[in-house]
Amino acid sequence: QVQLVESGGGLVQAGGSLRLSCAASGRTSTRDAMGWFRQAPGKEREFVASITRSRGNTYYADSVKGRFTISGDNAKNTVYLQMNSLEPEDTGTYYCAASRFSYSRGTASYDAWGQGTQVTVSS
């Protein structure tokens, strides 16, 4: 079992920045990838970024590449998502998730989820 708790969401103006954190506990060693997903009202949950615990490889959705940075601290079992140059289209609930697979953009590959943190970007 892996438990995930997100924090750091909030309201920010377009062009601003936020840093999300995801604290993991439990059997974290059984999960190689940590990912961030987001879901806007009326839309499906979509992949944002992921990082592998073993090699630190990172992957991004095209829509956030160059603006968002995912990083991890294995000693603290914490993953971060630094979000810069935020746009109103980035608004949504952001979820942290863990996967046994090293690389996946699909929600079905992630079997542990946090409760989500709200990010609202005003224009």
Side-chain angles (χ1 to χ4, degrees), residues 21 23 28 66 82 97 110 115:
S21 298
T28 57
Q82 178 66 44
Y110 291 78
Q115 81 288 350

Side-chain angles (χ1 to χ4, degrees), residues 76-113:
K76 295 183 179 180
N77 282 326
T78 301
V79 174
Y80 306 96
L81 185 68
Q82 178 66 44
M83 306 186 294
N84 299 329
S85 302
L86 282 162
E87 303 168 353
E89 292 73 22
D90 296 317
T91 294
T93 302
Y94 282 68
Y95 297 90
C96 177
S99 173
R100 299 179 185 273
F101 303 100
S102 296
Y103 168 67
S104 177
R105 296 176 179 242
T107 57
S109 297
Y110 291 78
D111 59 358
W113 293 85

